Amino acid sequence: MMHRKPVFAANWKMNHGPTDARAFMHRFLALTPRQQDRTTIFFPSALTFATVAEAVKERLDLMIGVQNVHQEPQGAFTGENSVLMARDAGARVVLVGHSERRHVFGESDETTAKKCALVAEARLIPMLCVGETLEEREAGATASVVERQLSAGIAGLDDQQVGAMMIAYEPVWAIGTGRTATPEDASDIHGVIRQLLVARLDVRPAAGIPILYGGSVNRGNAPILLAASDVDGLLVGGASLDPDGWSSIVRS
Ligand code: 13P
């Protein structure tokens, strides 16, 4: 299997304005030496993006992304941010189809697919998020839901663009609940995702795509989840908000 650098991604959601972020980054950078063997990504809010970009500009091991973009490249969409703006501001990665976009804001597979294609066309990395609700899990539909979301997300991309993506498996019932998937559960679903990518791309290119786990990751469970097979990284919400805790996770 191709070697994949582990990816540690902080999704700050609607937390940390510029003032908090400046203090966070000051402390985080002091605690966290440069690490060439892993990739760390920050997803601050759009209003905080410039503050974080400024703080990481001399750290090539730290990447920055946005939490969402609109599905059109520009136009009369008051309140929205476009992928072109994200690229211009220095974003390298875009979260697409996060559980809260899907379930709080009603984003469909179709919208998610458009966003993935737009992000890939702009030569940024889509980090496509997939995951089942508790109801779907209890109905035994986990694999089929994840397959549906993934197939839709990659349908409009060519093979090279799919090969450059990142995927995050975040079971909805594990997000912000303190209830984490077991490493075995995560491995099972990551295996389903990997098989689908193999079917689309073949073994070698599919092996290079990082598949992150997200949902109530904390400093205690991070090393255990990361050791599970096919878990190539972590997408972290709550536990990425404190610089000491987040630094300890990215150094794990
Ligand atoms: P928590 O780590 O707070 O459960 O959030 C996970 C998540 O949604 C990251 O995108």
Side-chain angles (χ1 to χ4, degrees):
M1 180 135 312
M2 190 184 284
H3 175 69
R4 292 179 290 264
K5 274 191 194 185
V7 179
F8 296 85
N11 176 8
W12 284 356
K13 307 190 181 185
M14 203 172 70
N15 298 287
H16 286 334
T19 307
D20 283 353
R22 211 168 289 118
F24 178 109
M25 292 310 297
H26 184 75
R27 173 88 182 146
F28 175 83
L29 293 172
L31 290 170
T32 320
R34 243 171 252 271
Q35 303 179 100
Q36 303 304 342
D37 62 343
R38 61 201 61 205
T39 303
T40 299
I41 309 173
F42 288 90
F43 293 102
S45 91
L47 289 173
T48 304
F49 187 94
T51 303
V52 179
E54 173 65 24
V56 304
K57 71 175 187 234
E58 281 170 11
R59 288 285 300 261
L60 297 178
D61 57 325
L62 306 177
M63 288 166 75
I64 176 158
V66 293
Q67 298 173 12
N68 181 43
V69 291
H70 192 264
Q71 64 268 29
E72 298 297 333
Q74 63 190 44
F77 300 102
T78 299
E80 295 292 311
N81 294 297
S82 81
V83 70
L84 302 174
M85 293 168 185
R87 187 176 65 185
D88 187 25
R92 308 260 309 276
V93 193
V94 179
L95 278 184
V96 179
H98 186 274
S99 158
E100 286 137 28
R101 299 303 317 170
R102 294 178 189 269
H103 299 289
V104 181
F105 299 101
E107 203 166 291
S108 65
D109 283 341
E110 197 191 352
T111 305
T112 297
K114 277 194 192 160
K115 292 185 181 187
C116 270
L118 203 61
V119 172
E121 270 164 37
R123 298 187 181 281
L124 302 186
I125 302 169
M127 184 185 284
L128 174 65
C129 304
V130 297
E132 81 287 2
T133 63
L134 185 58
E135 209 178 14
E136 289 162 339
R137 183 177 194 80
E138 285 171 349
T142 300
S144 67
V145 168
V146 166
E147 282 175 3
R148 192 200 74 225
Q149 293 172 335
L150 181 60
S151 304
I154 64 178
L157 275 64
D158 65 29
D159 287 358
Q160 203 181 351
Q161 291 172 329
V162 175
M165 290 177 78
M166 297 185 185
I167 311 290
Y169 169 57
E170 298 202 299
V172 179
W173 49 270
I175 297 177
T177 58
R179 215 185 132 189
T180 320
T182 63
E184 295 74 28
D185 282 341
S187 280
D188 279 355
I189 300 304
H190 286 220
V192 168
I193 293 170
R194 184 82 61 203
Q195 280 320 307
L196 211 128
L197 295 169
V198 168
R200 168 68 194 261
L201 295 180
D202 215 344
V203 177
R204 258 187 78 78
I209 300 177
I211 307 176
L212 285 69
Y213 167 80
S216 296
V217 173
N218 56 43
R219 28 163 137 191
N221 61 28
I224 304 160
L225 286 158
L226 212 48
S229 111
D230 264 322
V231 176
D232 310 314
L234 301 169
L235 178 55
V236 184
S240 73
L241 292 175
D242 147 60
D244 293 55
W246 179 235
S247 177
S248 112
I249 291 175
V250 307
R251 286 181 286 118
S252 65

